[in-house]
Amino acid sequence: MKEKRRGMLLVVSGPSGTGKGTLCERLLRSDPTIKFGISSTTRKAREGEIDGVHYRFIDDAQFDAMLSEDAFLEHATVHGHRYGTPRMQVEQAIEQGDNILLDIDPQGALNVMDKMPETVSIFILPPSYAALRERLHTRNTDDPEEILKRLSNAYGEVRLLKHYQYALVNDQLDQAFSRLSAIILAEKQRTTRYFPEIYDE
Ligand code: ADP
Ligand code: 5GP
C-alpha cells in the first residue's frame, strides 16, 4: 500500500518558561517529518541562540519592510518585542507535504487558527506559577525585569487556553513529551491528512 500525506501545521503556545522550546527541540530530534518554522524577531539573541536556526534576528526597519511586503502569516508584539511567522516557509512546507511546527504566542496562534482552520493547536501549561518563576530564573537568559514581565503576561496567556484543541502540563518532561508525541501520532492518522492508496495486485 502506498501512502500520501498532506503537510500538517502544528502550533504550540504557552507561557514563557513553561518548556515549549525544550519540548519542541526534543520533538524535532525524534521526528524528522517535522520542520521548525523559524520566526523573525526584533528581540536580541540570547547566548547560544543561532541566527537562522532559532530565529532570524532582525531590526525594526527590516520587520517593517516584511510587514509592508505582507511577508508574515501572523505577527505580534510579545513581552515588548516584535515576532512574526514568515508566510512563505509555512505555505511551502504544507504544499510539499512537510509538517511544520510553530512556537508562537496565543495572539499569533489564534490568527493562524483563524486563517488555517486545519491547524493542530497545543497549549503547554506549567505545573504552577511558582514552577514557572523558578524555571525562568534557572534558565537564566532574561534579566529580572524581563522575567517579571513574562510572569505577569502568563496569566492572560493561560486564559486563552480554551481556544486550543489540546492542553498538556509539562510537569515531568518525559511524560509531557510522550503526551505531545501521542497527539501528533494521532493527528497524522486523520483521514483529512492521510490517504492510503490500495492497489490490486
Ligand atoms: P519556553 O520555551 O516555554 O520559554 P524553555 O523550554 O526554555 O521554555 O524552558 C524553560 C526552562 O525550564 C529551561 O531551563 C528548561 O530546561 C526547563 N524545563 C523545561 N521543561 C522542564 C520540566 N518538565 N521540569 C523542569 N524544568 C523544565
Ligand atoms: P522568546 O522570546 O522566549 O523566544 O519567545 C517569547 C514568546 O514569543 C513566546 O510565547 C513565543 O512562543 C512567542 N513567539 C515566538 N515567535 C513568534 C512568532 O513568530 N509569532 C508570535 N506571535 N509569537 C512568537
Side-chain angles (χ1 to χ4, degrees):
M1 193 190 312
K2 235 171 82 182
E3 293 175 7
K4 276 200 288 186
R5 287 175 194 277
R6 273 181 57 191
M8 173 166 65
L9 176 58
L10 291 157
V11 165
V12 167
S13 303
S16 184
T18 204
K20 301 179 299 297
T22 307
L23 285 164
C24 288
E25 268 190 43
R26 202 158 157 181
L27 188 61
L28 293 164
R29 265 187 277 122
S30 79
D31 187 339
T33 74
I34 304 176
K35 289 184 172 170
F36 185 59
I38 304 164
S39 297
S40 297
T41 183
T42 59
R43 164 167 84 59
K44 296 278 164 284
R46 295 177 183 138
E47 212 182 303
E49 282 183 331
I50 303 164
D51 187 34
V53 175
H54 299 94
Y55 282 106
R56 289 191 202 289
F57 295 100
I58 60 175
D59 59 23
D60 272 308
Q62 289 169 306
F63 201 96
D64 286 336
M66 288 183 77
L67 270 182
S68 67
E69 289 158 11
D70 196 25
F72 290 126
L73 174 64
E74 64 72 37
H75 63 93
T77 298
V78 191
H79 316 312
H81 310 285
R82 299 163 90 191
Y83 298 83
T85 307
R87 181 191 302 282
M88 279 268 277
Q89 59 171 336
V90 174
E91 289 176 352
Q92 276 178 0
I94 305 280
E95 224 166 89
Q96 288 165 8
D98 291 326
N99 300 315
I100 183 153
L101 172 67
L102 304 180
D103 170 349
I104 61 176
D105 92 305
Q107 305 167 70
L110 263 52
N111 274 328
V112 170
M113 291 178 217
D114 201 36
K115 288 180 184 161
M116 304 176 78
E118 67 284 7
T119 300
V120 178
S121 53
I122 306 164
F123 198 96
I124 301 175
L125 288 156
S128 66
Y129 287 104
L132 196 59
R133 186 180 315 113
E134 199 185 311
R135 285 180 193 179
L136 282 171
H137 283 287
T138 308
R139 187 171 71 182
N140 202 21
T141 52
D142 302 289
D143 61 41
E145 201 183 320
E146 179 82 23
I147 290 180
L148 270 181
K149 201 191 311 171
R150 286 169 180 253
L151 283 170
S152 76
N153 288 341
Y155 295 89
E157 290 172 332
V158 169
R159 274 198 285 276
L160 296 171
L161 166 73
K162 59 178 181 284
H163 299 289
Y164 288 72
Q165 294 165 323
Y166 298 98
L168 59 90
V169 177
N170 179 20
D171 187 356
Q172 298 303 316
L173 187 62
D174 284 346
Q175 190 191 57
F177 180 69
S178 50
R179 288 180 182 176
L180 179 62
S181 303
I183 293 167
I184 290 162
L185 186 64
E187 283 289 343
K188 281 182 177 174
Q189 303 308 123
R190 274 193 192 275
T191 50
T192 47
R193 277 188 262 276
Y194 170 70
F195 310 104
E197 285 184 4
I198 302 171
Y199 296 101
D200 289 332
E201 290 300 313

